[in-house]
Amino acid sequence: MEKIKLKISGMSCQHCVKTVTEALTTLEGVQRVKVNLRKGEAVVRFDEQSVNPVNLRDAITQAGFEAS
């Protein structure tokens, strides 16, 4: 199990947090997601055999936000 912290820009409200959380949790292999609006980041625990950091960033981008 891997853990990564992603910086996310463009979030301004709890609806944004929900959108990012849903975008990440729908990916196969994602075990846990914690999005912090104040810090502008997401901490994701995932199975590296099923998903990788590029997939996570792509999901956030498709949801309308920027991740690094």
Side-chain angles (χ1 to χ4, degrees):
M1 188 80 60
E2 292 287 321
K3 178 180 171 183
I4 188 171
K5 185 184 292 186
L6 299 166
K7 286 300 221 177
I8 303 172
S9 59
M11 294 191 303
S12 61
C13 64
Q14 287 303 317
H15 180 70
C16 297
V17 170
K18 183 179 180 204
T19 301
V20 170
T21 301
E22 288 176 355
L24 292 169
T25 56
T26 59
L27 295 174
E28 184 178 337
V30 172
Q31 304 294 318
R32 183 181 297 175
V33 176
K34 181 159 176 91
V35 180
N36 187 313
L37 176 62
R38 186 176 55 81
K39 291 182 179 180
E41 66 184 25
V43 177
V44 184
R45 288 190 182 273
F46 62 98
D47 176 5
E48 64 276 6
Q49 301 298 321
S50 301
V51 68
N52 63 52
V54 173
N55 301 132
L56 300 174
R57 286 192 294 271
D58 288 347
I60 293 169
T61 300
Q62 290 176 3
F65 302 94
E66 299 223 7
S68 58

